[in-house]
Amino acid sequence: MAKTSAGRYFEDFRIGDVIRHAVPRTVTTGDVALYTALYGPRFAVQSSDAFAQAIGYPRSPIDDLLVFHVVFGKTVPDISLNAVANLGYAEGRFLATVYPGDTLTATSEVIGLKENSSRRTGVVYVRSTGWRQDGTKVLEYVRWVMVNKRDEAAKPHTELVPELATTVDPASLGAACPSIHAAGWDFGLSGAPDRFDDYAIGEKIDHVDGMTVEDAEHQLSTRLYQNTAKVHFNHFAQVRTRIGRRLIYGGHVISLARALSYNGLANVFHVAAINSGAHVAPLFAGDTVFAWSKVLGKAELPGRGDVGALRLRLVATKDRTCEDHPLRAGHDYEPGVILDLDYWALIPR
Amino acid sequence: MAKTSAGRYFEDFRIGDVIRHAVPRTVTTGDVALYTALYGPRFAVQSSDAFAQAIGYPRSPIDDLLVFHVVFGKTVPDISLNAVANLGYAEGRFLATVYPGDTLTATSEVIGLKENSSRRTGVVYVRSTGWRQDGTKVLEYVRWVMVNKRDEAAKPHTELVPELATTVDPASLGAACPSIHAAGWDFGLSGAPDRFDDYAIGEKIDHVDGMTVEDAEHQLSTRLYQNTAKVHFNHFAQVRTRIGRRLIYGGHVISLARALSYNGLANVFHVAAINSGAHVAPLFAGDTVFAWSKVLGKAELPGRGDVGALRLRLVATKDRTCEDHPLRAGHDYEPGVILDLDYWALIPR
Amino acid sequence: MAKTSAGRYFEDFRIGDVIRHAVPRTVTTGDVALYTALYGPRFAVQSSDAFAQAIGYPRSPIDDLLVFHVVFGKTVPDISLNAVANLGYAEGRFLATVYPGDTLTATSEVIGLKENSSRRTGVVYVRSTGWRQDGTKVLEYVRWVMVNKRDEAAKPHTELVPELATTVDPASLGAACPSIHAAGWDFGLSGAPDRFDDYAIGEKIDHVDGMTVEDAEHQLSTRLYQNTAKVHFNHFAQVRTRIGRRLIYGGHVISLARALSYNGLANVFHVAAINSGAHVAPLFAGDTVFAWSKVLGKAELPGRGDVGALRLRLVATKDRTCEDHPLRAGHDYEPGVILDLDYWALIPR
């Protein structure tokens, strides 16, 4: 009668399984303050109730990525406790606004399984959903992880690699963004004059600033999300591995890069969708994170004259500045690149 | 006219003294967020307003140990500023629920004094009480500390070693736990199916996970509790002592071990009493904390069919995993053991 | 079309310019909890809603220095992103109480410019104002910073060194302090019996305790204030400078010293004005901060029998205790002194 959970291994997953994740979490202004202290975001809508109210929100919404991290955290004990690596994200959509006081829960459906040729691991694809206490979906995304097998001889019941959209259809964006009262948007207060029409496809922006990460910081953030992945917290175990130290939660990098991107994308106030994402290389304490963005696309939203969508590639590096927009070197990423994230975000028109 | 407090020395205490401690403290959801970030607890009642409401709470209560630390912190300037060591706890009982917005104050009564044979120190026993703004007692516990003497020649007015119960009478438990609406308890959301009847006396549970502690983390937590004990904060002074570094507040270890114990005790939602506790060895930054539990006893609560009480021994170690349940080696604790805590906790029936 | 801001250089400022700073910020109990965790303040009015209500506040106000840091943080991207050094403060006045839920914005007027003889830098004087969402001024202060020139040959349009008061007129204090119901002030709860009449001009108080600062801590605090000054966060860049490491935000030192000053100034509950301040030497992670105070003056406030004002010199040191009240050695500050702050604060009569 084991009372502790050892987590699922590859052969424990079956296509179609729907997993209800444990530990509902009420998100509060306390979490918002910590999120600010951990990354230093400055997007006005999330920073100021008064700003949010002037454009039509009842108050500041919870930062989209904080919602993502909390939902992601819930999935870890069931999906990725025995994961070797978090391989990618796709089809991520933010579907409803979350406010302080809302409670989040999560479920995941297994949508793909593929044994690796080594037979020691396999790839598990899940579509995870975040829910609000009233039964509203707030977030949906697919991620796939490489998971250890318990028994090398075990075979998956069915193998299936799901077909995933390379980008989220822009016509489906905006569900989590109320109608914006454009005249109330104060571009002096938000920090830059640039709006939808001021960004051009192909444009590259170096976000200039760098942020060094400490072990205490990423541990605080990862625990805040109730993410229990062992590699982030257990120095005693990590020094006995090939890596030799604690790994920083990839979501910490996403939030740092997003906060840095304010300098250049000040009015890009809402992450509406995640098209794809990869943690290209690990980040460790003491490393300094930089970031740059490229405008991959632009889209008008059906029936909405208030906001438009920018498709952005957000690239983060460690110990390497981004004035030269480092990305690819042949088939590989350039040394120092740690994150390659492709997302849709909303900006006033 | 010294305006600063040097704290009490052993000979300053008298049996029967009642000390009102300074600095009332309103506890908020901000404190809850920090508590989550510092330890990563996942007990559903404290994590989710919606979960708490479904079983009969008006909202999530403040974590019992957060209440304990805040009350404890208030007692430090008067009781243990000149303490050499925090020797033990007994007769701890949680007496009323505390919610965000409540203000806590504390008092202590001196109930015992005993000079040590060295004559340089003595042991002070106090019964400390935490109060809510409305005059309700929320917590009561005895602790004893070894306190320096100012003057080696000084004698205590009276010596008395109080008789303390080895365990809190289970019939007195449950005061801080409202009647639980059992049908509303969602064991999928709480994270494990195990309830009162699923635990057997003598059962041992290794909580598996490890958590490495950083100086910034324990300083943040200890200041959050307004605990002023110098040994936790002053590297400049500590390097000049035999210990050579900052000591981590023992309560930080208790909260870490309790948070780790979720993995195996997911439904053990309320610490109702502390029977005894000892900080067996100090913890330092960089050390990794592990924990295991043993079920020492079980008790039904008079008139309550909703919850039962488990008497649990919670043992924490540093840089040593707990699959072999390390505890005693002859008369001593095994190397690596840092906490031995005996408490009553409630769980749904 | 640069979308990122490189900040203003010396020649970009003109006397009379009024700059509206970006990123309004709603301050919450989450920020209060973090402020407590970062510095450990114990002033009862800010710590307890119940205490604050007993003396006439509707609830605990936001700590004056937290208000200061948030307002200061907003000014950084426009004023001091290319600053070499923060040279001084004057004429600081707290003008209205700020409560959780209030939103702060900031503006600055350029009131002085002076090229340095090296021609590579100049001094910029600004009067910065913090505003509440309802248009009320909450804070006003002058600071001057040494700012790099973009082009050594550039000349300022006008040069002017403003005349600044050496102290704020005590008759103008008290605007941010409601009428205090003196009978409700519980000196047992606040932590010391000393009130206005108990302090004498010339009195010196060693605040005894020391607090070691970690990189994670000052980064958390500085990001909490959305202060973007690069020197605090970017280890990668700092190791390539003469300094070789991250500098700790001077305001972090002010708040630490103020929190330490509770031990000796427990009833000095409100910072009403900043007469002058200088960051004498930098602080680095691993250093331990100590503090002492001197009573420079006392003043009754016109028409107010509830509170009086103490003019205090707050001196902070690093890795040096303050029992000998270190300050000046000839024309220089003594080694180890890092902060020299002259402020007015209120205390019950």
Side-chain angles (χ1 to χ4, degrees):
Chain A
M1 286 201 337
K3 297 250 176 17
T4 56
S5 165
R8 283 175 178 76
Y9 289 85
F10 178 68
E11 61 264 43
D12 299 327
F13 292 93
R14 299 195 190 186
I15 305 281
D17 277 355
V18 175
I19 300 165
R20 264 181 97 217
H21 304 297
V23 193
R25 171 82 154 79
T26 302
V27 185
T28 70
T29 56
D31 299 305
V32 172
L34 264 162
Y35 194 82
T36 303
L38 286 162
Y39 310 111
R42 292 187 288 144
F43 298 96
V45 173
Q46 287 77 19
S47 178
S48 162
D49 283 339
F51 192 96
Q53 286 159 358
I55 61 167
Y57 284 89
R59 63 186 298 190
S60 284
I62 297 290
D63 192 286
D64 305 299
L65 293 177
L66 174 49
V67 173
F68 176 80
H69 297 322
V70 169
V71 170
F72 185 101
K74 317 233 135 305
T75 71
V76 168
D78 296 309
I79 305 298
S80 47
L81 213 60
N82 298 305
V84 181
N86 206 23
L87 298 174
Y89 309 102
E91 298 188 2
R93 287 198 308 145
F94 291 85
L95 300 167
T97 321
V98 177
Y99 294 102
D102 283 341
T103 297
L104 300 176
T105 56
T107 57
S108 295
E109 182 180 353
V110 180
I111 60 166
L113 289 172
K114 176 87 177 69
E115 196 179 21
N116 282 323
S117 53
S118 77
R119 295 197 164 179
R120 266 179 270 157
T121 57
V123 179
V124 178
Y125 296 78
V126 291
R127 186 180 306 276
S128 297
T129 307
W131 306 83
R132 213 162 54 189
Q133 69 283 349
D134 59 4
T136 306
K137 282 189 189 183
V138 299
L139 168 65
E140 205 175 60
Y141 65 94
V142 172
R143 74 162 164 140
W144 52 107
V145 288
M146 193 190 304
V147 176
N148 281 315
K149 287 168 75 176
R150 188 188 294 104
D151 171 9
E152 228 175 277
K155 302 293 297 175
H157 287 258
T158 322
E159 284 194 297
L160 174 70
V161 175
E163 280 190 53
L164 298 170
T166 52
T167 62
V168 173
D169 179 359
S172 77
L173 303 175
C177 178
S179 179
I180 294 301
H181 177 55
W185 191 287
D186 183 327
F187 290 85
L189 283 183
S190 67
D194 311 300
R195 52 180 80 196
F196 185 67
D197 285 340
D198 296 313
Y199 289 89
I201 294 178
E203 184 173 353
K204 295 178 181 179
I205 302 166
D206 170 18
H207 301 305
V208 179
D209 304 307
M211 191 70 79
T212 306
V213 181
E214 300 293 322
D215 272 321
E217 293 171 352
H218 75 82
Q219 292 196 149
L220 286 169
S221 80
T222 311
R223 282 187 299 246
L224 186 69
Y225 314 136
Q226 298 174 313
N227 179 329
T228 56
K230 297 158 197 263
V231 291
H232 308 314
F233 300 114
N234 188 335
H235 175 72
F236 180 80
Q238 289 301 110
V239 292
R240 285 156 181 75
T241 67
R242 184 179 50 81
I243 292 166
R245 50 210 296 215
R246 283 165 279 176
L247 280 163
I248 293 176
Y249 164 49
H252 196 80
V253 177
I254 296 177
S255 280
L256 272 178
R258 164 80 179 148
L260 291 171
S261 80
Y262 170 87
N263 194 355
L265 298 170
N267 294 310
V268 177
F269 69 103
H270 169 48
V271 174
I274 294 174
N275 297 310
S276 65
H279 298 293
V280 173
L283 181 73
F284 301 106
D287 294 344
T288 302
V289 175
F290 298 87
W292 68 275
S293 292
K294 180 177 181 180
V295 181
L296 296 179
K298 297 181 66 171
E300 302 189 9
L301 302 193
R304 295 192 69 157
D306 56 343
V307 293
L310 298 182
R311 186 178 157 204
L312 295 160
R313 182 172 212 161
L314 176 60
V315 178
T317 60
K318 62 176 178 185
D319 290 351
R320 169 169 186 159
T321 56
C322 291
E323 66 281 347
D324 60 342
H325 314 114
L327 187 59
R328 290 276 182 185
H331 290 295
D332 290 326
Y333 282 94
E334 282 202 43
V337 173
I338 57 175
L339 173 73
D340 184 7
L341 185 74
D342 176 342
Y343 70 106
W344 283 109
L346 304 193
I347 181 169
R349 301 199 59 169
Chain B
M1 286 205 334
K3 296 243 173 24
T4 56
S5 167
R8 283 175 178 77
Y9 289 85
F10 178 67
E11 60 264 43
D12 299 327
F13 292 93
R14 296 193 193 187
I15 306 281
D17 278 355
V18 175
I19 301 166
R20 263 181 98 217
H21 304 297
V23 194
R25 171 80 153 81
T26 302
V27 185
T28 70
T29 54
D31 299 305
V32 172
L34 264 162
Y35 194 83
T36 303
L38 286 161
Y39 310 112
R42 291 187 288 146
F43 298 97
V45 174
Q46 287 77 20
S47 178
S48 162
D49 283 339
F51 191 97
Q53 286 159 358
I55 62 167
Y57 284 88
R59 63 187 296 191
S60 284
I62 297 289
D63 191 288
D64 305 298
L65 293 176
L66 175 50
V67 172
F68 176 82
H69 297 322
V70 168
V71 170
F72 185 102
K74 318 233 135 304
T75 72
V76 166
D78 296 309
I79 306 299
S80 47
L81 212 59
N82 298 304
V84 181
N86 205 23
L87 299 173
Y89 309 101
E91 297 188 3
R93 288 199 306 146
F94 291 84
L95 300 167
T97 320
V98 177
Y99 294 102
D102 283 342
T103 298
L104 300 175
T105 57
T107 58
S108 295
E109 182 179 353
V110 181
I111 61 166
L113 290 171
K114 177 84 176 67
E115 195 180 20
N116 283 323
S117 53
S118 76
R119 295 199 165 179
R120 268 180 269 158
T121 57
V123 179
V124 179
Y125 296 78
V126 292
R127 186 180 306 274
S128 296
T129 307
W131 306 83
R132 212 162 54 188
Q133 70 283 350
D134 59 3
T136 306
K137 282 188 190 183
V138 299
L139 168 65
E140 207 176 58
Y141 65 94
V142 172
R143 75 163 165 140
W144 51 108
V145 287
M146 193 189 303
V147 176
N148 281 314
K149 287 168 75 175
R150 187 188 292 104
D151 170 9
E152 226 175 280
K155 302 293 299 177
H157 288 257
T158 323
E159 285 194 298
L160 173 71
V161 174
E163 280 191 48
L164 297 170
T166 52
T167 61
V168 173
D169 179 358
S172 76
L173 302 177
C177 178
S179 178
I180 294 301
H181 176 55
W185 190 288
D186 182 327
F187 289 84
L189 282 183
S190 67
D194 311 298
R195 50 179 84 198
F196 184 67
D197 284 340
D198 296 311
Y199 289 90
I201 294 178
E203 185 173 352
K204 295 176 180 179
I205 302 165
D206 171 16
H207 300 305
V208 180
D209 305 307
M211 191 72 77
T212 305
V213 181
E214 300 295 320
D215 272 321
E217 293 171 353
H218 75 82
Q219 293 197 150
L220 287 169
S221 81
T222 312
R223 282 187 300 246
L224 186 70
Y225 314 137
Q226 298 174 313
N227 179 330
T228 58
K230 298 157 198 266
V231 291
H232 308 314
F233 300 114
N234 189 335
H235 175 73
F236 181 81
Q238 289 301 111
V239 292
R240 286 155 179 76
T241 67
R242 184 179 49 80
I243 291 167
R245 50 210 296 215
R246 281 164 281 175
L247 280 163
I248 292 176
Y249 163 50
H252 196 81
V253 177
I254 296 177
S255 281
L256 272 179
R258 164 79 178 147
L260 291 171
S261 80
Y262 171 87
N263 195 355
L265 298 170
N267 294 310
V268 178
F269 70 103
H270 169 48
V271 175
I274 293 173
N275 296 310
S276 66
H279 297 294
V280 173
L283 181 72
F284 301 105
D287 295 344
T288 302
V289 175
F290 298 87
W292 67 275
S293 292
K294 180 177 181 180
V295 181
L296 296 178
K298 297 179 66 171
E300 302 190 8
L301 302 194
R304 294 191 69 156
D306 56 343
V307 293
L310 298 181
R311 187 179 158 204
L312 295 160
R313 182 172 213 163
L314 176 60
V315 178
T317 60
K318 63 176 176 186
D319 290 349
R320 170 170 186 158
T321 57
C322 290
E323 67 282 346
D324 61 341
H325 314 114
L327 187 59
R328 291 278 183 183
H331 289 294
D332 291 326
Y333 282 95
E334 282 202 44
V337 174
I338 58 175
L339 173 74
D340 184 7
L341 184 74
D342 176 342
Y343 70 105
W344 282 109
L346 304 192
I347 180 171
R349 300 199 58 171
Chain C
M1 289 205 335
K3 296 246 174 25
T4 57
S5 167
R8 283 174 178 76
Y9 288 85
F10 178 66
E11 60 265 43
D12 300 326
F13 292 94
R14 297 191 193 189
I15 306 281
D17 278 355
V18 175
I19 301 165
R20 265 182 97 215
H21 304 297
V23 194
R25 171 80 153 82
T26 301
V27 185
T28 70
T29 55
D31 299 305
V32 172
L34 264 162
Y35 194 83
T36 302
L38 287 162
Y39 310 112
R42 291 187 289 145
F43 298 96
V45 174
Q46 286 78 18
S47 177
S48 162
D49 282 339
F51 191 95
Q53 286 160 356
I55 61 168
Y57 284 89
R59 64 186 296 190
S60 284
I62 298 290
D63 192 288
D64 305 298
L65 293 177
L66 174 50
V67 172
F68 176 81
H69 297 321
V70 168
V71 170
F72 185 102
K74 317 232 137 302
T75 71
V76 167
D78 296 309
I79 306 299
S80 46
L81 212 60
N82 298 305
V84 181
N86 205 23
L87 299 173
Y89 309 102
E91 299 189 2
R93 287 199 308 146
F94 291 84
L95 299 167
T97 320
V98 178
Y99 294 103
D102 283 341
T103 298
L104 300 175
T105 56
T107 57
S108 294
E109 182 179 353
V110 180
I111 61 166
L113 290 171
K114 175 89 178 64
E115 195 179 21
N116 283 323
S117 54
S118 76
R119 296 200 164 176
R120 266 180 271 158
T121 58
V123 179
V124 179
Y125 296 79
V126 290
R127 186 180 306 275
S128 297
T129 307
W131 306 84
R132 212 162 55 188
Q133 69 284 350
D134 60 2
T136 306
K137 282 189 190 183
V138 299
L139 168 65
E140 207 175 58
Y141 65 94
V142 173
R143 76 162 164 140
W144 51 106
V145 288
M146 193 189 303
V147 176
N148 281 314
K149 287 167 75 176
R150 188 188 293 105
D151 170 10
E152 227 175 277
K155 301 294 298 178
H157 289 256
T158 323
E159 284 195 298
L160 173 72
V161 174
E163 281 191 50
L164 297 169
T166 52
T167 63
V168 173
D169 178 359
S172 76
L173 303 176
C177 178
S179 178
I180 294 302
H181 177 55
W185 191 286
D186 184 327
F187 290 84
L189 283 184
S190 67
D194 312 298
R195 51 178 85 195
F196 184 67
D197 285 340
D198 297 311
Y199 289 90
I201 293 177
E203 185 173 354
K204 294 177 181 177
I205 302 166
D206 171 17
H207 300 305
V208 180
D209 305 308
M211 192 72 77
T212 306
V213 181
E214 300 294 321
D215 271 321
E217 293 172 353
H218 74 82
Q219 292 196 148
L220 286 170
S221 80
T222 310
R223 281 187 299 245
L224 186 69
Y225 313 138
Q226 298 174 314
N227 179 329
T228 56
K230 298 157 195 267
V231 291
H232 308 315
F233 299 116
N234 189 335
H235 176 73
F236 180 80
Q238 288 302 110
V239 292
R240 286 155 180 76
T241 68
R242 186 179 47 82
I243 291 166
R245 50 211 293 218
R246 280 165 281 175
L247 280 162
I248 293 176
Y249 164 50
H252 195 80
V253 176
I254 295 177
S255 281
L256 272 178
R258 165 77 180 149
L260 292 170
S261 80
Y262 171 87
N263 195 355
L265 298 171
N267 294 310
V268 177
F269 70 104
H270 169 48
V271 174
I274 293 173
N275 297 310
S276 65
H279 297 293
V280 173
L283 181 73
F284 301 106
D287 294 344
T288 302
V289 174
F290 298 87
W292 68 276
S293 292
K294 181 178 182 179
V295 182
L296 295 179
K298 298 181 63 172
E300 303 190 6
L301 302 194
R304 296 192 67 157
D306 55 343
V307 292
L310 298 181
R311 186 178 158 204
L312 296 160
R313 182 172 213 163
L314 176 59
V315 178
T317 61
K318 62 176 178 186
D319 291 350
R320 171 170 184 160
T321 57
C322 290
E323 66 281 346
D324 61 342
H325 313 116
L327 187 59
R328 289 277 183 184
H331 290 293
D332 290 326
Y333 282 94
E334 283 202 42
V337 174
I338 57 175
L339 174 74
D340 185 8
L341 185 75
D342 177 342
Y343 69 105
W344 282 109
L346 303 193
I347 181 171
R349 300 199 58 169

